[in-house]
Amino acid sequence: MATIVDGFEGELKELREVFNSGKTREASWRRSQLQGILSLFKERESDIMEALNQDLGKHNVEAYRDEIGIVIKSANYALGNLKKWMSSKRAKLPLASFPSSAKLVPEPLGVVLIISSWNFPFGLSFEPTIGAIAAGNAVILKPSELAPTCSSVLANTIRDYLDNSAIKVVEGGHHVGEYLLRHKFDKIFFTGGARVGEIVMTAAAKFLTPVTLELGGKCPALVDFISSSWDKKIAIKRIIWGKYGVCGGQACIGIDYILTQKKFAPTLVELLQKYIKKSFGDNPMYSHSMTRIINKKHFTRLKGLLEEPGVKSSIVYGGKSDEENLFIEPTILVDPPLDSSIMTEEIFGPLLPIITVERIEDSVEFIRARPKPLAIYGFTSNEKLQKKMISETSSGSITFNDSIVQYAVDTLPFGGVGGSGFGRYHGKYSFENFSHQKAVMMRGYLIDFGFRYPPWNNKKLQLLKSGLRYDYITLVFVKLGLKGKA
Amino acid sequence: MIDDLEMRRSVEELRLTFKSGKTRSGDWRKAQLRAILRLIQENEDTLFRLLQSELGKHPVESYRDEIGVVKKSADHALTYIDQWMSPKKGRLPLVFFPASRKVLSEPLGLVLIIGSWNFPISLILDPLIGAISAGNTVVLKPSELAPNCASFLANILPSYLDPKAIKVIEGGIDVSNQLLQYKWDKIFFTGSTKAGKIVMAAAAMNLTPVTLELGGKCPVIFDCLPNSDLKVAAKRVASGKWGGCAGQACIGVDYVIVEQKFASTLIEQLKKTIKIFYGDDVKNLKNFSKIINKGHFDRLRSYLEDPAVANSIVYGGSFDDTSLIIEPTILLDPPLDAAIMNEEIFGPLLPVITMDKIEESIEFINSKPKPLALYAFTKNENFKKRILAETSSGSVTFNDTMVQFVCDDLPFGGVGQSGFGRYHGKYSFDTFSHEKAVLERSFYLELEPRHPPWSTFKLEFLRSAYDYNYVRMLLLLLGLKRPSNP
């Protein structure tokens, strides 16, 4: 069934015309839109929090911590750095090219398509949009239909606060997504799963549209033996937050599974149980500190993971679920079979497998044998182990002794590698992601090297050799006839 | 038909080499780069002979455009590789204290480089230099349209470079298609737009990042210049059109736009320049390459079959079927809807398009896909500003042609239909690397407001944290400020 989105072609045409008019290139326009985003988040905060609560059961404070606060921070950062990012940068030229100058001039790509995901519907829509706007593009945003209230609030608030002639929201399901992909864009920025990522890239290939794919993966956390009780407490809290505390485990950089030494596993499980109770109470569903599962399909999927042979018996804590409320309580498993789905697919939910190894160093090989994830976590103060992890594994990012927080650092690039995607953003990387850095060279007529042009002879060959080697002395000698052919 | 199993086994060996970690060592990379330099040095005469016989390139042209370029790039990489390989440290906002961050470049793994036939040596070896500097293992697929060069590379590379890490696979389209089915960590492609789409679609199946160096119709905007500069300008245009593989170059001049009143002056000067550079006897042209094969030769001839196009020839137009040489040809105002004005020419036919005012060239250029390079010969500073702001291309060069190619500090790559991704200098290293974000935190301090159970206080604290309002954060923590929200 082919979907046509009413009036879309006209809207796309309008966006192109607006872009071609040059309006979005003006620094003042970009600033006004970034300010508009700030106003949107400050004035409509309660609508946003209400929508997140409605679609995901996210508590207000979690919503602020993971989405609202982040967008405000990023918009401020972009405003503060916009002038710098927009300015040309001088490039170095060899003396041989004197008198010339060269610079890199950033320019917008044009009309960009941003497709965001349902787990952080506001954060994952606005963070790339901030980059696209800062870079001077016109934007079409396609939020996920799996968070419908959020999608609607997004569409309404953007209409109220941003320039509708240059920034538009198109709501709908995957049919709408497919329809959009049949059109030509100057860049596509996609956050989501690998399967759809492949569809996006294949569609983009028809137009040679560059893409950024922010995918996921199984982000492992290596937990080393921790002796100090203070350290243990902090580490456990950070692990719990990284697994259960951020959208109930439905996060691309959430901890997927843990690797730990056999000897330490019982201590780890005990600590986890203790702090899960502290953080979420005896009845996590009513604590309002953990979001619910997004929909029935994912709920059933997650339940299914626990029902596979050998997996159910590996549950050591939790495992209960409430279908009516789409809630699954924090669950811990120890050594489920490695070929079970829970250990081969991205979990994206509050189920935490703990895989035990003889020596903690064996974890590195375990991680290496699997697709490159978006993030790797290492809870260890052992510098040698840290070095080994850094040099022997590959991932979008690697964080020691904490989880998730790398997301909030404006100066760190955020993106995947291998199966977790390619391209990156955040901070200036967002600006660059949506820009083309045009190389500009300015030459003059004062000096013109005859040896660039035919008719050819050996002397010219000599001069070219020296020229390209930046061997200025030989250049001068040959020119003066003081050096013959080699 | 190449044996698929054999080829897969061969490629698998490269994966194992990468896994062993050998290619990550700085010493290994430098040894390979030095080997490339030795290869070029010791086989210079052979390369001259090959390029002369296969493409009709004069040795000086071969040195200027291929051999010299590879030498320069290898030298540059050797000089800077330690710097490129070292991690980049940076500051973090105080709120993350205590922590440190760095960005570390790591190799992607196993990469595929597909070269083109017009610069069969440099378009394989230059990207190879980047891939090796970044620590990858590489499969090189030279173009079958320059088979002798391809064979030469296949035979000579194993005696200089590590055969377990770098392999050449020869063959035609069927081999390329087979290779594209494998899983790569990166594909670097130089070639036509049409083939680029096939490469990207194949890469999408494995979510492989690609760099596409394509082409386009690279225009020259030729403003009215004083006589003193006209001679040099004409030399540079001629060199940019006919000097690089007889017009078969991605950044070669495709067509010229000039003001009506200046057209004849320019054309006369070009004619004079052609005679000096190449002579005027098509059977005896000097310093001039031939067309790569009959297919392209016929394609170029067919452009002139349209009588309206044929009538616009003002110089040249002769074809020699035996030597596959087409003499430098100038056309004045061929019809704008003819194929020669809508496809990338890639040959020695130069349309000169006249306008009433030179400023109209901007609109004309914008009506066509974004080219890889834009050239403008003008001394009018305002006009230069307009060209930079109102057109988009991979690069812009004022008052010269082609030279941007040899500047290591300038990124070389396209935008829009001319491709995406870039290389040369450090950009080559980056294009074959993954920049991993590394964040190290410790357990000393913990900001409790990150974790549930939630409260108004924690919300206030987070607000201050995202504003980097340290004073307010401190006051809240010390209990000296009450949360203001109800």
Side-chain angles (χ1 to χ4, degrees):
Chain A
M1 178 201 109
T3 306
I4 308 280
V5 175
D6 275 338
F8 178 73
E9 313 254 320
E11 299 215 319
L12 187 56
K13 193 156 168 272
E14 186 193 350
L15 278 177
R16 278 227 172 271
E17 279 163 12
V18 167
F19 177 75
N20 289 337
S21 76
K23 187 197 324 185
T24 62
R25 301 176 89 121
E26 298 287 323
S28 55
W29 181 88
R30 307 184 203 193
R31 259 181 226 293
S32 72
Q33 297 310 293
L34 292 170
Q35 300 280 11
I37 291 179
L38 282 173
S39 305
L40 188 164
F41 274 82
K42 293 213 160 92
E43 290 167 23
R44 303 291 280 266
E45 186 181 280
S46 45
D47 289 338
I48 292 172
M49 285 177 167
E50 177 53 45
L52 285 167
N53 188 29
Q54 177 90 318
D55 285 340
L56 286 151
K58 248 186 224 197
H59 189 283
N60 291 354
V61 185
E62 186 181 330
Y64 192 89
R65 185 197 67 192
D66 294 348
E67 299 206 52
I68 300 168
I70 295 266
V71 174
I72 290 175
K73 164 198 72 60
S74 298
N76 277 324
Y77 190 79
L79 275 163
N81 288 285
L82 190 64
K83 190 155 172 233
K84 191 166 84 175
W85 293 345
M86 281 177 70
S87 62
S88 316
K89 306 201 180 8
R90 286 213 99 74
K92 281 197 328 239
L93 286 179
L95 192 59
S97 60
F98 181 84
S100 314
S101 64
K103 58 186 181 181
L104 290 178
V105 176
E107 50 180 38
L109 294 169
V111 177
V112 308
L113 171 65
I114 295 174
I115 302 174
S116 64
S117 175
W118 49 262
N119 49 352
F120 300 91
F122 291 93
L124 293 176
S125 295
F126 279 96
E127 187 77 41
T129 300
I130 286 170
I133 288 174
N137 300 279
V139 184
I140 293 205
L141 180 55
K142 158 75 185 71
S144 170
E145 76 284 10
L146 296 191
T149 321
C150 292
S151 172
S152 170
V153 169
L154 207 96
N156 292 333
T157 52
I158 284 181
R159 200 171 36 236
D160 294 339
Y161 286 83
L162 300 183
D163 181 348
N164 291 318
S165 69
I167 302 164
K168 294 187 195 286
V169 179
V170 178
E171 295 183 77
H174 70 93
H175 289 301
V176 169
E178 276 163 23
Y179 172 77
L180 291 181
L181 289 172
R182 289 207 288 271
H183 298 79
K184 179 174 170 1
F185 295 94
D186 298 301
K187 170 99 196 195
I188 300 178
F189 186 100
F190 171 81
T191 307
R195 195 186 56 86
V196 182
E198 195 183 311
I199 295 174
V200 170
M201 190 171 169
T202 307
K206 298 204 180 67
F207 299 105
L208 291 171
T209 301
V211 304
T212 287
L213 300 179
E214 295 273 338
L215 310 176
K218 290 181 77 62
C219 301
L222 183 157
V223 183
D224 196 4
F225 181 77
I226 303 171
S227 48
S228 125
S229 52
W230 171 265
D231 289 0
K232 276 205 258 268
K233 180 170 133 190
I234 306 297
I236 292 297
K237 286 176 92 160
R238 291 177 181 177
I239 290 170
I240 289 176
W241 116 299
K243 177 68 200 188
Y244 307 108
V246 177
C247 205
Q250 301 163 106
C252 51
I253 43 168
I255 293 177
D256 188 279
Y257 66 98
I258 285 179
L259 287 154
T260 196
Q261 248 181 308
K262 263 196 179 50
K263 283 201 301 212
F264 190 62
T267 314
L268 181 58
V269 172
E270 200 187 309
L271 283 167
L272 283 167
Q273 292 177 352
K274 176 168 164 206
Y275 281 95
I276 285 173
K277 283 211 178 69
K278 271 198 159 166
S279 305
F280 304 113
D282 287 314
N283 241 322
M285 196 166 84
Y286 298 107
S287 70
H288 211 187
S289 298
M290 213 171 111
T291 64
R292 57 167 182 270
I293 306 307
I294 183 66
N295 61 17
K296 192 113 186 310
K297 178 165 158 223
H298 279 280
F299 179 88
T300 312
R301 178 184 64 82
L302 286 162
K303 263 192 84 179
L305 291 179
L306 294 178
E307 270 145 29
E308 281 186 20
V311 179
K312 203 162 191 176
S313 49
S314 70
I315 299 176
V316 298
Y317 182 84
K320 288 206 284 293
S321 57
D322 183 321
E323 184 156 347
E324 198 188 315
N325 290 301
L326 291 180
F327 192 84
I328 297 179
E329 63 171 338
T331 301
I332 306 174
L333 306 91
V334 177
D335 284 325
L338 293 181
D339 58 357
S340 58
S341 303
I342 203 174
M343 280 312 296
T344 54
E345 295 169 11
E346 187 176 3
I347 297 171
F348 230 64
L351 317 173
L352 177 61
I354 296 178
I355 307 294
T356 61
V357 290
E358 284 302 325
R359 292 167 45 249
I360 195 64
E361 289 81 8
D362 298 339
S363 315
V364 175
E365 189 48 51
F366 188 95
I367 294 172
R368 273 181 65 158
R370 287 162 174 74
K372 300 176 187 179
L374 195 44
I376 290 180
Y377 301 108
F379 287 83
T380 176
S381 309
N382 180 338
E383 278 191 25
K384 233 174 124 208
L385 182 58
Q386 288 182 352
K387 277 198 172 76
K388 189 175 159 80
M389 284 179 76
I390 292 175
S391 60
E392 292 182 30
T393 65
S394 183
S395 53
S397 66
I398 183 164
T399 299
F400 293 104
N401 300 323
D402 209 334
S403 62
I404 318 264
V405 287
Q406 71 275 20
Y407 190 82
V409 182
D410 295 301
T411 50
L412 278 177
F414 184 82
V417 66
S420 46
F422 51 81
R424 64 226 188 137
Y425 69 136
H426 285 193
K428 77 163 186 211
Y429 301 103
S430 288
F431 178 87
E432 285 169 6
N433 192 309
F434 290 99
S435 301
H436 166 57
Q437 277 190 314
K438 186 156 74 178
V440 179
M441 197 160 167
M442 338 277 266
R443 298 265 300 155
Y445 298 101
L446 197 58
I447 295 182
D448 189 44
F449 287 138
F451 57 77
R452 292 171 52 172
Y453 312 108
W456 301 128
N457 58 42
N458 236 327
K459 182 163 170 188
K460 286 191 181 178
L461 181 58
Q462 287 302 301
L463 289 167
L464 265 173
K465 285 194 172 185
S466 318
L468 277 169
R469 238 187 2 239
Y470 311 125
D471 183 354
Y472 301 112
I473 308 224
T474 311
L475 197 65
V476 171
F477 280 175
V478 176
K479 196 86 182 133
L480 292 176
L482 294 172
K483 213 168 154 68
K485 54 183 181 179
Chain B
M1 188 66 185
I2 304 284
D3 184 44
D4 189 53
L5 204 58
E6 185 61 49
M7 205 153 70
R8 275 188 197 275
R9 231 200 339 248
S10 187
V11 169
E12 266 320 292
E13 191 187 0
L14 294 172
R15 272 216 185 278
L16 288 168
T17 305
F18 181 75
K19 270 190 96 174
S20 76
K22 190 209 294 197
T23 63
R24 300 181 90 121
S25 104
D27 289 335
W28 180 87
R29 304 184 204 191
K30 288 184 206 166
Q32 301 308 299
L33 292 172
R34 284 190 206 104
I36 291 180
L37 281 172
R38 269 197 338 267
L39 188 159
I40 294 285
Q41 217 147 296
E42 290 167 15
N43 295 279
E44 194 176 275
D45 286 329
T46 313
L47 285 166
F48 282 157
R49 258 198 327 272
L50 273 170
L51 290 165
Q52 176 109 61
S53 67
E54 198 134 61
L55 289 150
K57 277 191 200 187
H58 189 285
V60 183
E61 186 184 329
S62 294
Y63 192 87
R64 186 195 65 188
D65 294 346
E66 299 213 51
I67 296 166
V69 168
V70 174
K71 259 191 171 152
K72 170 197 66 59
S73 295
D75 277 328
H76 189 262
L78 274 164
T79 308
Y80 290 99
I81 192 171
D82 286 326
Q83 199 180 90
W84 296 343
M85 281 177 69
S86 60
K88 277 132 210 74
K89 299 207 152 116
R91 280 182 23 208
L92 280 167
L94 195 57
V95 75
F96 289 98
F97 182 84
S100 73
R101 58 139 279 214
K102 59 188 180 195
V103 175
L104 190 60
S105 289
E106 50 180 38
L108 293 167
L110 174 57
V111 309
L112 172 65
I113 295 174
I114 302 176
S116 176
W117 49 262
N118 49 349
F119 299 90
I121 302 299
S122 62
L123 292 178
I124 283 283
L125 295 181
D126 213 352
L128 176 64
I129 286 169
I132 288 176
S133 315
N136 299 280
T137 50
V138 190
V139 167
L140 300 165
K141 163 71 187 70
S143 170
E144 72 282 12
L145 295 192
N148 297 329
C149 289
S151 285
F152 172 77
L153 286 171
N155 292 331
I156 204 80
L157 245 61
S159 9
Y160 286 86
L161 301 177
D162 184 344
K164 288 206 162 59
I166 300 153
K167 289 192 200 279
V168 179
I169 295 184
E170 294 177 78
I173 292 192
D174 47 351
V175 170
S176 295
N177 282 336
Q178 252 175 297
L179 287 172
L180 286 172
Q181 303 300 311
Y182 302 168
K183 189 167 174 1
W184 305 95
D185 297 302
K186 170 102 192 192
I187 298 177
F188 186 99
F189 172 81
T190 307
S192 72
T193 305
K194 189 165 140 234
K197 290 183 182 173
I198 296 172
V199 170
M200 189 172 169
M205 292 189 307
N206 290 306
L207 296 171
T208 302
V210 302
T211 288
L212 300 178
E213 296 272 338
L214 311 177
K217 289 181 79 62
C218 301
V220 168
I221 300 174
F222 204 97
D223 199 359
C224 307
L225 290 172
N227 271 337
S228 51
D229 299 330
L230 177 61
K231 221 169 129 197
V232 172
K235 278 163 83 171
R236 292 174 178 179
V237 171
S239 179
K241 177 69 195 185
W242 295 292
C245 205
Q248 302 164 99
C250 52
I251 46 165
V253 169
D254 189 277
Y255 64 100
V256 172
I257 302 175
V258 68
E259 255 177 28
Q260 174 76 38
K261 61 179 199 278
F262 202 60
S264 48
T265 315
L266 172 60
I267 290 175
E268 282 317 301
Q269 191 61 42
L270 283 173
K271 288 185 192 174
K272 282 197 197 127
T273 313
I274 290 169
K275 286 203 179 72
I276 297 174
F277 283 1
Y278 313 113
D280 52 11
D281 174 7
V282 67
K283 291 222 183 294
N284 217 356
L285 286 173
K286 302 212 182 315
N287 314 307
F288 196 67
S289 308
K290 66 184 179 59
I291 305 307
I292 185 64
N293 61 20
K294 191 106 196 336
H296 281 280
F297 185 86
D298 290 337
R299 173 183 64 83
L300 288 161
R301 190 166 36 198
S302 74
Y303 287 143
L304 305 184
E305 266 153 26
D306 181 344
V309 175
N311 283 337
S312 69
I313 299 177
V314 294
Y315 181 87
S318 305
F319 292 70
D320 186 334
D321 280 73
T322 17
S323 61
L324 289 185
I325 295 227
I326 299 176
E327 72 167 318
T329 300
I330 305 176
L331 304 94
L332 179 59
D333 283 322
L336 295 179
D337 57 359
I340 200 175
M341 280 312 295
N342 291 290
E343 292 169 15
E344 186 176 2
I345 297 171
F346 231 65
L349 315 174
L350 177 67
V352 174
I353 307 296
T354 63
M355 311 240 148
D356 285 328
K357 299 212 79 24
I358 196 64
E359 286 80 7
E360 291 162 27
S361 55
I362 290 182
E363 204 184 313
F364 185 85
I365 288 170
N366 286 339
S367 71
K368 295 195 178 309
K370 302 177 186 177
L372 193 46
L374 193 157
Y375 302 110
F377 287 79
T378 177
K379 292 177 120 158
N380 182 338
E381 291 304 319
N382 274 338
F383 190 38
K384 284 187 196 174
K385 280 199 176 76
R386 274 197 69 195
I387 291 171
L388 278 182
E390 297 177 35
T391 65
S392 182
S393 53
S395 66
V396 176
T397 301
F398 290 109
N399 300 315
D400 209 330
T401 57
M402 312 289 264
V403 286
Q404 72 276 20
F405 192 80
V406 296
C407 293
D408 295 303
D409 216 36
L410 280 176
F412 183 80
V415 66
Q417 298 296 291
S418 47
F420 51 80
R422 56 210 189 155
Y423 72 129
H424 283 189
K426 176 166 197 296
Y427 300 101
S428 288
F429 178 86
D430 288 340
T431 219
F432 290 102
S433 299
H434 165 58
E435 279 194 308
K436 181 157 77 178
V438 181
L439 180 64
E440 288 182 40
R441 299 212 69 214
S442 77
F443 297 119
Y444 296 145
L445 277 182
E446 177 62 307
L447 286 179
E448 279 307 317
R450 304 167 39 169
H451 304 290
W454 299 125
S455 66
T456 322
F457 168 83
K458 290 189 176 179
L459 178 58
E460 284 310 296
F461 188 88
L462 286 168
R463 283 191 205 279
S464 310
Y466 280 120
D467 279 340
Y468 301 119
N469 190 340
Y470 298 105
V471 174
R472 192 156 190 273
M473 277 162 70
L474 193 59
L475 291 176
L476 278 169
L477 278 174
L478 292 175
L480 295 173
K481 208 167 164 56
R482 295 267 137 66
S484 50
N485 258 22

